[in-house]
């Protein structure tokens, strides 16, 4: 299953931007944050556990870091979320702010964005289009997302190996014509 997932990710990354979505609704200078292939892959396995959680797979481990200090925080400054959820039209803008605990620094290279319940890593697609995050955050502008319900899991770590993880849900609706 991992092999199929890798092949689909390679195929989706190799296609011209917007090919799976059609460019009729794409704004100039925009990029595809989530593709139809991402949605299909996630939906095809919606009732299954992700490969790293299936029986017989060695669990992933990570350091818990210094538990005496607060973990970093991810704040979504745009769009406005209500209980981790927003209803938007594509293309979308997502502004994230990172805050490190006292005596710690954010490690920008640890930033990850995972799509859906299968945690498809779409980080490289974002970084290729908007550049690397800073210790303060990242601004994702003009991101195309197909109509439907989407879950994004955002991750960042600090230099004490503490990780922040934030799940947000976006319902993308068609922009009214006219």
């Amino acid at each position: 299953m991992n092999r199929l997932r890798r092949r689909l990710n390679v195929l989706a990354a190799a296609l011209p931007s917007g090919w799976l979505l059609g460019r009729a609704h794409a704004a100039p200078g925009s990029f595809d944050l989530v593709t139809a292939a991402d949605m299909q892959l996630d939906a095809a396995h919606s009732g299954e556990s992700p490969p790293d959680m299936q029986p017989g797979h060695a669990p992933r481990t990570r350091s818990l870091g210094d538990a005496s200090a607060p973990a970093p925080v991810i704040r979504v400054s745009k769009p406005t979320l209500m209980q981790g959820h927003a209803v938007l039209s594509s293309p979308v803008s997502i502004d994230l702010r990172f805050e490190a605990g006292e005596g710690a620094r954010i490690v920008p290279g640890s930033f990850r964005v995972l799509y859906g319940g299968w945690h498809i890593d779409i980080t490289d697609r974002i970084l290729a289009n908007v550049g690397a995050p800073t210790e303060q955050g990242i601004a994702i502008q003009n991101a195309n997302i197909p109509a439907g319900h989407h879950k994004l899991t955002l991750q960042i770590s600090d230099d004490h190996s503490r990780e922040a993880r934030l799940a947000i849900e976006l319902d993308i609706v068609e922009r009214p014509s006219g």
Side-chain angles (χ1 to χ4, degrees):
M1 204 48 66
N2 277 338
R3 183 176 293 157
L4 172 64
R5 192 164 135 188
R6 282 192 298 269
R7 286 182 183 167
L8 285 173
N9 282 338
V10 168
L11 175 63
L15 293 172
S17 180
W19 185 81
L20 292 170
L21 298 175
R23 298 309 272 171
H25 296 89
S30 64
F31 73 99
D32 297 332
L33 177 69
V34 175
T35 66
D38 296 332
M39 292 177 68
Q40 290 171 347
L41 179 61
D42 193 60
H45 302 289
S46 63
E48 302 174 22
S49 297
D52 58 350
M53 297 180 71
Q54 291 178 355
H57 188 279
R60 284 188 279 178
T61 60
R62 66 175 182 258
S63 168
L64 295 176
D66 178 6
S68 66
V73 175
I74 301 171
R75 299 208 189 277
V76 179
S77 59
K78 185 178 182 183
T80 301
L81 300 177
M82 296 293 290
Q83 298 178 337
H85 180 262
V87 177
L88 307 165
S89 297
S90 189
V92 302
S93 294
I94 303 171
D95 290 339
L96 304 174
R97 297 290 158 243
F98 308 138
E99 298 173 11
E102 187 174 334
R105 295 181 67 172
I106 295 293
V107 178
S110 69
F111 177 67
R112 294 283 171 267
V113 179
L114 308 173
Y115 175 74
W118 265 62
H119 295 146
I120 301 164
D121 191 335
I122 60 172
T123 308
D124 290 342
R125 188 179 311 154
I126 294 168
L127 300 182
N129 286 281
V130 302
T134 67
E135 289 186 37
Q136 290 74 40
I138 188 168
I140 302 167
Q141 306 294 323
N142 292 318
N144 294 317
I145 302 177
H149 183 79
H150 305 277
K151 178 182 174 188
L152 300 176
T153 302
L154 314 167
Q155 298 175 335
I156 195 75
S157 297
D158 66 18
D159 59 354
H160 294 281
S161 300
R162 295 177 299 229
E163 181 181 88
R165 184 178 285 208
L166 177 67
I168 63 172
E169 295 186 32
L170 306 175
D171 281 314
I172 304 300
V173 296
E174 295 288 332
R175 188 177 302 267
S177 59

